[in-house]
Amino acid sequence: MTGSVPLNELGEFLKKRRSELSPRTVGLPESGRPRRVTGLRREEVAQLAHISTDYYTRLEQGRIQVSSSVLETLARVLHLDDDERGYLFQLSGKTTTRTRRRGRQKVQPQLQRVLDDLTATPAIVQGRRGDILAWNALAAALVTDFSRIPEKHRNYPRIVFTDPAMRSLYAHWETSAHMAVAQLRMEAAQYPEDPRLIELVGELSMRDEQFAQWWGDRRVAARTVGRKTLNHPVVGELVLDWDTLTTNTDPDQHLTVWTAAPNSPTHERLRILASWAADQSLPPSQPAA
């Protein structure tokens, strides 16, 4: 059984992905007759994967274990990208272990010093669920004064969806918010029984229709690299590249830094913002006792 995944997430993920494909997409002939289901039928996926329809049906229903070779085939048949393939394997228990209770995360003093020394580069440390564990003064000036947010609410996806200022700050808010949901969905496969994650998803689903819709879409993404455009109220437009580094002491802690090309308008505006932040005395995070 794949029952360690609540509500058969594996089956729901497979159903969602096959619903987005057409026979033409995967090279099957189209009869021209109306179809009762959106996307591919179960028997069509089974045919392409060279498995029986009964086997695939039981797989979607969470009634059987599945081998790595079948997962590889299904990833190819359903045209999954690398992130989706990794998510499929996590849901099947092939790359992760059962969630266990974990203690409160803390940033090591060495990492805190790195943050504090990055006076011209905004940087934050995110933990599980996107919790914001640490930041420097320029990150507070760039995004929001994290010190004013209660610690239990100091969570990146929550801020993106509940702080109205974020919809003005991010030039492409929907893209950024959708990515935050996809990253959270990826983590849910690794820690499906995390009570705080379940509570966060429930809260945001009730508060925001777009979050609920995107969560239901089951898109997944890893924290890697990207680019964001911000409309900052003090210095104007900022086009920033972001990169994510994982700490060795805690693989669930990720350092994200925003940078700009040297001598670019954004690079100069970051310098202006750093000077403004110093004048405002925006505080970096303080190491936990």
Side-chain angles (χ1 to χ4, degrees), residues 51 55 173 191 195 263:
I51 56 179
Y55 180 93
W173 178 86
Y191 303 118
N263 303 317

Side-chain angles (χ1 to χ4, degrees), residues 123-158:
I124 64 173
V125 177
Q126 293 184 70
R128 294 187 291 275
R129 303 167 295 273
D131 289 347
I132 296 172
L133 306 177
W135 61 93
N136 61 11
L138 192 50
L142 178 69
V143 182
T144 189
D145 185 355
F146 299 109
S147 66
R148 294 183 178 274
I149 302 173
E151 184 176 354
K152 66 178 181 178
H153 292 157
R154 203 177 290 155
N155 171 275
Y156 179 74
R158 192 180 191 281

Side-chain angles (χ1 to χ4, degrees), residues 254-273:
H254 309 280
L255 171 66
T256 300
V257 294
W258 290 275
T259 61
N263 303 317
S264 65
T266 293
H267 187 261
E268 179 59 29
R269 289 167 189 162
L270 276 181
R271 293 169 61 90
I272 296 172
L273 184 60

Side-chain angles (χ1 to χ4, degrees), residues 28-239:
L28 291 175
E30 295 193 55
S31 65
R33 296 192 300 270
R35 297 172 65 86
R36 295 181 179 179
V37 298
T38 302
L40 295 179
R41 302 185 183 98
R42 283 174 172 170
E43 54 266 31
E44 290 171 332
V45 175
Q47 175 188 342
L48 292 166
H50 303 290
I51 56 179
S52 71
T53 301
D54 178 66
Y55 180 93
Y56 182 75
T57 299
R58 287 186 289 141
L59 174 58
E60 277 201 359
Q61 292 173 345
R63 294 163 51 199
I64 58 172
Q65 291 276 2
V66 60
S67 68
S68 296
S69 60
V70 171
L71 290 176
E72 289 285 5
T73 302
L74 288 174
R76 174 179 54 80
V77 167
L78 296 174
H79 294 196
L80 303 186
D81 61 25
D82 289 343
D83 287 344
E84 290 169 333
R85 178 189 170 279
Y87 183 66
L88 179 68
F89 270 75
Q90 284 188 346
L91 289 177
S92 305
K94 300 301 180 183
T95 59
T96 58
T97 57
R98 188 176 179 85
T99 303
R100 58 185 175 85
R101 186 175 296 276
R102 293 171 177 263
R104 178 171 174 264
Q105 290 180 289
K106 295 190 297 184
V107 170
Q108 294 292 324
Q110 300 92 321
L111 182 55
Q112 183 68 54
R113 288 197 294 269
V114 170
L115 283 174
D116 295 340
D117 286 343
L118 293 175
T119 56
T121 302
I124 64 173
V125 177
Q126 293 184 70
R128 294 187 291 275
R129 303 167 295 273
D131 289 347
I132 296 172
L133 306 177
W135 61 93
N136 61 11
L138 192 50
L142 178 69
V143 182
T144 189
D145 185 355
F146 299 109
S147 66
R148 294 183 178 274
I149 302 173
E151 184 176 354
K152 66 178 181 178
H153 292 157
R154 203 177 290 155
N155 171 275
Y156 179 74
R158 192 180 191 281
I159 292 169
V160 167
F161 280 93
T162 62
D163 185 346
M166 297 299 104
R167 297 174 188 257
S168 300
L169 177 65
Y170 288 111
H172 308 289
W173 178 86
E174 286 199 0
T175 300
S176 297
H178 203 171
M179 175 66 73
V181 176
Q183 291 170 345
L184 193 63
R185 168 66 78 173
M186 176 72 88
E187 186 169 349
Q190 188 174 6
Y191 303 118
E193 298 166 4
D194 181 347
R196 290 186 58 193
L197 190 150
I198 294 171
E199 180 183 1
L200 174 66
V201 170
E203 177 195 358
L204 295 182
S205 295
M206 292 292 292
R207 295 183 62 160
D208 193 283
E209 291 183 1
Q210 284 179 295
F211 180 93
Q213 175 189 340
W214 293 336
W215 186 259
D217 285 343
R218 289 175 166 80
R219 293 294 180 188
V220 292
R223 291 189 179 96
T224 51
V225 297
R227 172 171 290 187
K228 290 184 179 180
T229 300
L230 277 63
N231 295 319
H232 197 274
V234 174
V235 296
E237 183 181 79
L238 299 168
V239 181

